Amino acid sequence: MSSKFHKLALEYHKGNRPGKIIVSSHKSLTTCEDLSLAYTPGVAIPVREIAQDANKVYDFTIKRNLVAVISDGSAVLGLGNVGPLASKPVMEGKAVLFKHFADIDVFDIEIDTQDVDDFVQTVKNIAPTFGGINLEDISAPRCFEIEKRLIEMLDIPVFHDDQHGTAIIIAAGLLNSLEIQNKDIETIQLVCLGAGSAGIATLDLLCELGLSKDNILLVDSGGVISKDMENVSQVKAQYGTKTDKKTLTDVMQGADVFIGVAVANLVSKQMIKSMADRPIVFALSNPDPEISPKDANSVRDDLIMATGRSDYPNQVNNVLGFPFIFRGALDAKASEINLKMKIAAVYALKDLAKLEVPNSVLKAYSTKYMTFGKDYIIPKPFDPRLIEVVPKAVFDVAVSSGVSRL
């Protein structure tokens, strides 16, 4: 990053009032009567109502529209284990996105422990405050156990966005890319570089959508995950294959799809050149991808490419998912965000990309033309239809699948 941008970012976060969020009241408090309603004695009336019927907490408090964004700071962006205090700007940023895109209120909570039991117990103890829990920037494999245990314990949605948010956006973009490239998810050969939370969750979801485990080659920092490897976690081992291939170079040969959720510059031009006809490349490491679009396009003119960056076409951005998924879940008073709700979000995003792009989106991105195709496989974050389409899809499935309190 340039020194100018570095300074601008610090000034943005500091300003006259440090941070990015505030807590404010939306009820009147200008008269003596207002005060008596807001606090004693008026506040005792909803207290009694909720004491008699716990579900009325959704009618008389912020719970129905309040999400906790919670992190221990163990896997923040591409910066690693920076701890809870250093994670706070990111959690505040998440709060801003929730509010801007879906009018959801957020308390960001940074927990000073990386012990799984302590973390889970802390979240369990504060959960009654919230209508949903968004786990964020927690390292693998701890994140898998934390999310699983909290889902089992709590009666509100628990969603680890680094896992499922990423997976949902990738899946929507990939399904559209396969359609454009005239390929079938049931027969493609897919390479996934990165076996952390995003990589595993993406493979889990794609398998639910028809991808065969036999057609997956998973690569981590130690090489290709094979069935005969020892000391491999159960999470990774489920995607181990019977293969003699050892390196990323080996598995890229003839691959139809590459999904990178690792670190920058691990993929060479030669690897892209060795892929099958009409390849699909999702190089999603941020801020720098596993291979730049410039390098990939210099050796292949038949590929579709996505990155995690806004300055290239086809940005895979979690903001397309989590605000709208939670909006639908909260509106349904859902007890969880289940697989059917996640798949509903995938197809809502997939189908939205095929519709005519509104002028407001073209203006926001300073272009006169944008249509479904190689350079537009998923909607843009500022598409005003997202708030109409995705929450409704999630809401409807929450109700039909029996996890709604309505």
Side-chain angles (χ1 to χ4, degrees), residues 119-139:
F119 187 98
V120 168
Q121 190 61 45
T122 299
V123 177
K124 178 179 181 293
N125 288 343
I126 65 173
T129 304
F130 303 99
I133 304 289
N134 184 100
L135 301 172
E136 192 77 17
D137 291 352
I138 301 168
S139 62

Side-chain angles (χ1 to χ4, degrees), residues 71-82 114 136-140 162:
S71 181
D72 62 3
S74 59
V76 178
L77 303 176
L79 304 174
N81 188 356
V82 297
Q114 294 186 7
E136 192 77 17
D137 291 352
I138 301 168
S139 62
D162 299 317

Side-chain angles (χ1 to χ4, degrees), residues 168 172 175 209 342-353 389 393:
I168 286 165
L175 290 178
L209 294 170
K342 295 169 191 172
I343 291 175
V346 170
Y347 281 102
L349 290 167
K350 172 184 177 293
D351 294 342
L352 182 56
V389 172

